[in-house]
Amino acid sequence: MESKWLICLLLISGFSTYCYASKSMRMRLSTEQNMEDLLTRRNLLSNGLGSTPPMGWNSWNHFACNIDEKTIKETADSLVSTGLFKLGYIYVNIDDCWAESSRDDKGNLVPKKSTFPSGIKALADYVHSKGLKLGIYSDAGYYTCSKKQPGSLGHEEQDAKTFASWGIDYLKYDNCNNDFSKPTQRYPVMTRALMNAGRPIFFSLCEWGDLHPALWGYNVGNSWRTTNDISDNWDSMVSRADQNEVYADLARPAGWNDPDMLEVGNGGMKKDEYIVHFSIWAISKAPLLIGCDVRNTTKEVMEIIANKEVLSVNQDKLGVQAKKVRMEGDLEVWAGPLSNYRVAIVLLNRGSWPTSMIAHWDDIGLPPNTAVTARDLWEHKTLKTKFVGNLTATVDSHACKMYILKPVS
Ligand SMILES: *[C@@H]1O[C@H](CO)[C@@H](O)[C@H](O)[C@H]1NC(C)=O
Ligand SMILES: *[C@@H]1O[C@H](CO)[C@@H](O)[C@H](O)[C@H]1NC(C)=O
């Protein structure tokens, strides 16, 4: 007779339960309420999305509330014509201010007639016709942050069904104007509603890191903000990188830490500073959501956001977020493993002067005698020397070097 057994692991860090049961046990348990759920469910949100960090565009950082369907369509066109779509930027995400200030008489959210006269379904059809995906925005409160449209609190099921019926692929869910209950009470309600809506929708939690969402987010969303909103300046950008780094161990495929969207191309930082921004976001396995006007980018901006080699670090299938492995004043070494025994590193100089920096193998997780080739991801060059034990480079002020180190056999 086949034995009956059930093993459950409760991973405290993510409040996730993993269970394994013998076949006869599964048959017995499936008759018991909720147990089937326990066995088949890895988390509340098993939508199959986000095996690598999401890439795309979002309207907020450049346009704030000044959005309309023409801008969104032209952005979709530009993502294709610039080649960004081919590089993996597939989400076109509408942020706040897309809806009328009140629901219709059936309680449905209504696209704003003056700016989205064709409706969101038509926009989704347009975006899908290009191979892109459409994202939308709501809020786990009574109003969104702009207060120009209703939030989804108390309307989760209805709104999730509306979004699914329109063909929405991604939901950013903000935290303004709520009822003061904890995010852990409000966000899972939308998770369940999305799971019931009949369409896989990437769920981006935006409770700004208030309640350490890295500790519970994996059960609830595909990504979670770890910080308040970013602004287009150096101090804001590096402080978000710092706050996000603390939770590195809790990120994993289908559940990513999110230090907020990109400011590259919005004009508030120097080129080297934007390269730092993009390098740190990429190595941190952050969602890469472009926040500038892609209809009107410079060559300089394209060289940053379309850097294939840096994108390959972000999208590496191992999905391990890099950490600071050495900090000496303004000098930081960030490192994280990649597939095939490779290592990605960023040498970051936050200080005011060009400085020589060193990455030691014992800091970055390479065995001491390993010889590697070093690919410079911003110079697009493989360095001639093979390195053993360490790698040294001079790094300019508010700038970085980024490499992939690959062991030579
Ligand atoms: C395009 O970008 C430049 C700066 O790069 C700016 O001066 C100009 O106003 C922008 N044009 C539009 C139509 O937004
Ligand atoms: C760096 O590695 C080289 C050998 O590859 C060694 O000679 C040198 O002392 C090392 N430098 C430091 C600062 O560890």
Side-chain angles (χ1 to χ4, degrees):
M1 190 185 136
E2 200 197 333
S3 65
K4 293 189 170 109
W5 49 267
L6 171 70
I7 303 170
C8 288
L9 292 167
L10 177 64
L11 298 186
I12 303 297
S13 67
F15 300 148
S16 304
T17 312
Y18 295 81
C19 290
Y20 307 90
S22 65
K23 194 171 167 219
S24 57
M25 190 65 172
R26 278 202 300 275
M27 279 156 55
R28 195 170 75 78
L29 289 172
S30 66
T31 63
E32 294 176 30
Q33 191 104 48
N34 290 330
M35 287 306 281
E36 182 67 11
D37 227 25
L38 182 68
L39 292 170
T40 54
R41 170 188 91 177
R42 189 192 57 182
N43 54 24
L44 290 180
L45 183 73
S46 46
N47 59 10
L49 300 175
S51 61
T52 60
M55 290 172 60
W57 173 89
N58 173 291
S59 55
W60 186 258
N61 283 355
H62 189 84
F63 296 95
C65 273
N66 302 314
I67 51 167
D68 54 29
E69 64 184 36
K70 181 167 173 281
T71 307
I72 305 297
K73 280 173 145 180
E74 288 175 359
T75 297
D77 295 344
S78 296
L79 286 170
V80 174
S81 64
T82 52
L84 290 168
F85 165 60
K86 263 205 198 128
L87 292 174
Y89 291 99
I90 58 169
Y91 288 106
V92 180
N93 292 352
I94 308 168
D95 209 281
D96 204 350
C97 306
W98 59 268
E100 292 288 357
S101 57
S102 26
R103 294 169 180 273
D104 70 11
D105 53 12
K106 296 199 183 79
N108 294 310
L109 291 169
V110 183
K112 198 170 170 185
K113 294 227 165 46
S114 59
T115 47
F116 292 86
S118 316
I120 304 297
K121 172 84 168 70
L123 197 51
D125 289 346
Y126 183 82
V127 163
H128 291 156
S129 76
K130 312 228 145 206
L132 293 156
K133 294 180 180 295
L134 190 69
I136 209 157
Y137 166 98
S138 191
D139 187 285
Y142 299 118
Y143 292 95
T144 61
C145 295
S146 71
K147 295 201 175 157
K148 290 180 194 294
Q149 66 180 72
S152 291
L153 186 62
H155 294 265
E156 291 88 352
E157 286 285 331
Q158 185 170 13
D159 291 352
K161 289 204 167 72
T162 300
F163 297 150
S165 75
W166 287 342
I168 291 294
D169 304 296
Y170 186 116
L171 175 64
K172 172 178 169 182
Y173 205 44
D174 222 332
N175 194 28
C176 289
N177 305 307
N178 63 60
D179 62 358
F180 303 107
S181 64
K182 289 183 176 182
T184 43
Q185 286 167 286
R186 287 174 287 115
Y187 279 75
V189 182
M190 182 53 94
T191 309
R192 286 192 193 93
L194 291 172
M195 289 304 289
N196 288 337
R199 182 179 176 85
I201 297 178
F202 187 102
F203 192 26
S204 157
L205 314 182
C206 182
E207 57 83 275
W208 321 311
D210 271 8
L211 200 69
H212 304 302
L215 298 178
W216 48 268
Y218 189 68
N219 247 345
V220 179
N222 297 109
S223 67
W224 46 85
R225 281 276 296 281
T226 52
T227 72
N228 262 313
D229 282 10
I230 192 171
S231 309
D232 188 16
N233 64 72
W234 170 261
D235 288 338
S236 172
M237 185 273 288
V238 290
S239 76
R240 268 131 203 89
D242 293 342
Q243 290 166 55
N244 189 65
E245 190 263 351
V246 173
Y247 300 106
D249 286 333
L250 298 168
R252 63 203 113 149
W256 307 104
N257 288 317
D258 178 4
D260 205 1
M261 302 172 296
L262 297 167
E263 292 282 10
V264 180
N266 283 330
M269 288 181 246
K270 293 189 216 136
K271 183 178 183 190
D272 276 349
E273 296 177 330
Y274 279 141
I275 287 176
V276 169
H277 181 13
F278 199 73
S279 301
I280 295 293
W281 262 238
I283 204 171
S284 302
K285 308 290 146 92
L288 296 180
L289 296 170
I290 299 168
C292 68
D293 185 354
V294 290
R295 301 169 307 173
N296 181 30
T297 51
T298 60
K299 188 162 167 282
E300 198 167 86
V301 168
M302 282 299 292
E303 277 167 16
I304 300 173
I305 61 180
N307 184 325
K308 271 188 200 172
E309 302 197 62
V310 174
L311 291 174
S312 80
V313 170
N314 181 255
Q315 296 291 303
D316 184 76
K317 63 174 191 277
L318 210 54
V320 176
Q321 179 175 336
K323 294 189 226 186
K324 299 184 198 191
V325 295
R326 188 174 280 263
M327 292 175 273
E328 288 168 349
D330 290 324
L331 308 178
E332 294 176 354
V333 179
W334 295 58
L338 299 176
S339 54
N340 299 324
Y341 307 102
R342 297 168 306 149
V343 177
I345 63 171
V346 168
L347 308 180
L348 168 60
N349 178 1
R350 298 166 72 144
S352 305
W353 313 102
T355 311
S356 173
M357 294 188 63
I358 182 162
H360 296 282
W361 275 203
D362 56 352
D363 287 336
I364 65 177
L366 281 170
N369 298 322
T370 310
V372 304
T373 56
R375 177 76 179 173
D376 183 323
L377 306 188
W378 289 107
E379 297 291 330
H380 301 291
K381 281 201 297 238
T382 303
L383 305 187
K384 291 212 177 67
T385 334
K386 305 245 187 312
F387 297 87
V388 182
N390 62 64
L391 177 150
T392 304
T394 299
V395 185
D396 285 339
S397 161
H398 285 202
C400 70
K401 291 280 194 177
M402 186 171 188
Y403 304 96
I404 291 178
L405 307 182
K406 186 178 168 193
V408 288
S409 39

